Every structure is written in C-alpha cells, then in structure tokens.
Amino acid sequence: MLIEPLLRNGLQERTDSTAKKVEHIATGYTENIRRRLVDYGYKEGLVHLYVIGGGDCLLRNYSDLAEKAGVTFITDICANAKGYETLAEKKLRR
C-alpha cells in the first residue's frame, strides 16, 4: 500500500525512510535490468529500445533511460497482453 505508488509514480519529492529504501532497491533492480539488456545484445545508440508494460514504471522512474533519445516508453500496462493477443489472432488466421 505504501510502496506501490512509489514504484508506479516515482518518489515525487518524498525523502522519508520508506521512500529512500524503495529508491535504493528499485535503482539496484533497474541497474540489473540494464545489465541484462546489454547481455542480450542491446547497444545504446545503435538499437532503439521500446520499454513496454509494467516495467515501464520502474525504468522510467529509477533509471536514466527516460532521458535517452533512442528509448520509447509505451505506458499502457496491458501492452504485453495486447501484443500476445494480436500474435495469437494472426496465428489462428493462418
């Protein structure tokens, strides 16, 4: 109840101990995601990155990706489900 709004919306100038703890953990988590992206072949400046779904909130608020030119955030939290639905419909048509 206290943490979810911080993850979704960022700290919004909060400086209390809960906000600081959330920031520390979320920043570490997003750094791990960035390392994994590089492991999977993401090369900043060469590849346009689309951040889709629930991870959008964390990466937008707790990493520097939102400041990068080659990154697009798709904020619809149902985007992944809609994409899979589209793929399933295409497969059924074949």
Side-chain angles (χ1 to χ4, degrees), residues 2-3 5-6 8-9 23 27 45-46 53 66 69-71 76 78 92:
L2 297 172
I3 295 170
L6 294 173
R8 285 182 187 234
N9 307 314
E23 180 179 36
T27 300
L46 295 176
V71 179
D76 181 354
C78 297
L92 286 174

Side-chain angles (χ1 to χ4, degrees), residues 5-76:
L6 294 173
L7 295 174
R8 285 182 187 234
N9 307 314
L11 300 180
Q12 298 181 349
E13 300 181 24
R14 283 185 50 182
T15 58
D16 57 274
S17 63
T18 300
K20 288 179 182 179
K21 179 76 78 174
V22 167
E23 180 179 36
H24 175 74
I25 293 169
T27 300
Y29 184 74
T30 59
E31 287 171 5
N32 185 40
I33 292 171
R34 295 280 303 268
R35 282 192 296 275
R36 303 262 332 253
L37 286 170
V38 171
D39 290 346
Y40 286 115
Y42 171 64
K43 292 178 178 34
E44 187 177 315
L46 295 176
V47 176
H48 192 93
L49 179 64
Y50 291 88
V51 182
I52 300 171
D56 156 76
C57 298
L58 285 174
L59 290 169
R60 188 171 12 97
N61 293 315
Y62 296 100
S63 76
D64 64 347
L65 283 177
E67 301 163 8
K68 307 286 182 181
V71 179
T72 299
F73 286 89
I74 299 176
T75 58
D76 181 354

